[in-house]
Amino acid sequence: MEIDEDLVRALLRDRHPDLAELPIRPVPGGWDNRLWRVGDELAVRMPRTERAPGLLRKEHRWLPVLAPLLPLPVPVPVRTGEPSARFPRFWTVARWVPGEPGDATPVTRGDHAAGVLAGFLRALHREAPEEAPANPDRGVPLEGFTAGFEEGFPLLAEFADPGAVRRVWEDALAAPARQGPPVWLHGDLHPANVVVADGTLAGVLDFGELCAGDPATDLSAAWLLLPEGAAPRFFEAYARVDEATVRRARGWALLRAAGLVAIGRAGERGLPGGKPTWGPAGRAALARVLTSVA
């Protein structure tokens, strides 16, 4: 359905009338949700996919628990809206996280951002409780993504040595499996899900894929978010990582890079769901992954 300013303001007037007269303006981007900034400190997140309400409910359940433990701002939900005749899906009001989207404004202060990212993930990657959500596509063994890798391989091979790409993937598959309890994961750390200010990471967005599992999924951010040469500094600061986990993280980075390149290409061609800024981000991540094993 059409989600416009009039609808957002009407929903606020029904549910949270103290917010209804604040300035409302759309924010570009978003995948599962449309985002509308409300005043200077809040944002309304409006689902536009079938799965989005469930992701928002998960954030509403867990982000208030995790946010006080994290050293970077995150969009903590502070209010909710239940399905109604006016809008048939659950929606939320969250804290606005200031900064520029990382797919449009890349990190430039690599050493600083490496320390910031390591500190964030060290704080997040604590043992998760039994009731933590599971996710079939995050924090799980890479063997389940062989078909997905093969589907994305031709795109990666356009921008890098095909043999080198395949060697990194096969090495990731051969790495020993994770030992130890599942830890909390963001699950979707790519450039469009962080914000940048003054050349470094300033906040982390979109916890819809939040789950428990293998930290290698999140550690792929060393190549997805940080500039060339910053990954060693990141892993040094993160500290609690073995070689097998780094190898698995490279495999996750290849999968994420292929997704970014594909969505970027769709954007370049004007196709639905495409985002032109994601292509350069994916190609840069691919180059960094391969350089890390050169």
Side-chain angles (χ1 to χ4, degrees):
M1 64 182 300
E2 182 69 21
I3 302 174
D4 57 19
E5 179 181 340
D6 289 341
L7 174 61
V8 174
R9 195 175 295 281
L11 290 172
L12 288 174
R13 191 173 290 118
D14 290 345
R15 183 75 178 181
H16 304 292
D18 59 312
L19 305 180
E21 301 311 316
L22 292 173
I24 297 175
R25 51 200 184 279
V27 179
W31 189 266
D32 289 291
N33 300 283
R34 287 287 310 275
L35 189 66
W36 295 79
R37 192 167 179 182
V38 179
D40 294 328
E41 299 181 356
L42 300 172
V44 170
R45 299 184 72 193
M46 303 288 295
R48 62 180 176 186
T49 66
E50 290 296 326
R51 72 182 199 133
L55 303 182
L56 288 180
R57 287 189 185 276
K58 178 166 59 174
E59 291 189 6
H60 179 65
R61 165 67 179 88
W62 290 108
L63 260 191
V65 175
L66 294 172
L69 309 174
L70 303 176
L72 284 175
V74 298
V76 179
V78 294
R79 312 229 193 150
T80 64
E82 294 294 334
S84 65
R86 198 184 295 275
F87 186 72
R89 293 174 173 171
F90 178 82
W91 51 278
T92 63
V93 181
R95 294 291 180 193
W96 175 257
V97 179
E100 297 299 321
D103 57 322
T105 307
V107 168
T108 56
R109 296 167 58 198
D111 281 351
H112 187 277
V116 172
L117 179 62
F120 176 83
L121 289 179
R122 280 181 63 87
L124 176 63
H125 289 171
R126 59 187 66 222
E127 185 174 344
E130 290 186 4
E131 64 270 27
N135 189 320
D137 298 319
R138 305 290 193 278
V140 295
L142 284 168
E143 287 83 353
F145 299 94
T146 300
F149 171 78
E150 294 299 337
E151 182 179 350
F153 177 75
L155 271 179
L156 298 178
E158 287 186 32
F159 302 103
D161 173 21
V165 173
R166 193 166 289 282
R167 284 192 294 273
V168 170
W169 175 251
E170 291 176 352
D171 182 67
L173 287 179
R178 156 84 173 168
Q179 301 297 319
V183 299
W184 278 114
L185 305 178
H186 177 279
D188 205 20
L189 283 175
H190 62 74
N193 283 343
V194 299
V195 292
V196 175
D198 298 323
T200 193
L201 293 173
V204 178
L205 311 176
D206 198 346
F207 284 72
E209 301 290 355
L210 182 74
C211 63
D214 180 0
T217 298
D218 280 358
L219 296 178
S220 63
W223 301 286
L224 292 167
L225 301 181
L226 301 176
E228 182 66 45
R233 166 78 177 99
F234 164 77
F235 284 111
E236 178 185 8
Y238 183 81
R240 57 190 188 203
V241 64
D242 57 20
E243 179 187 2
T245 304
V246 175
R247 291 163 63 191
R248 295 194 306 275
R250 287 194 186 99
W252 280 103
L254 287 181
L255 292 174
R256 300 280 81 83
L260 290 168
V261 171
I263 293 168
R265 175 159 294 181
E268 293 162 4
R269 295 175 175 175
L271 299 176
K275 298 180 182 293
T277 56
W278 289 28
R283 295 191 292 271
L286 171 62
R288 293 191 288 262
V289 172
L290 298 184
T291 299
S292 74
V293 295

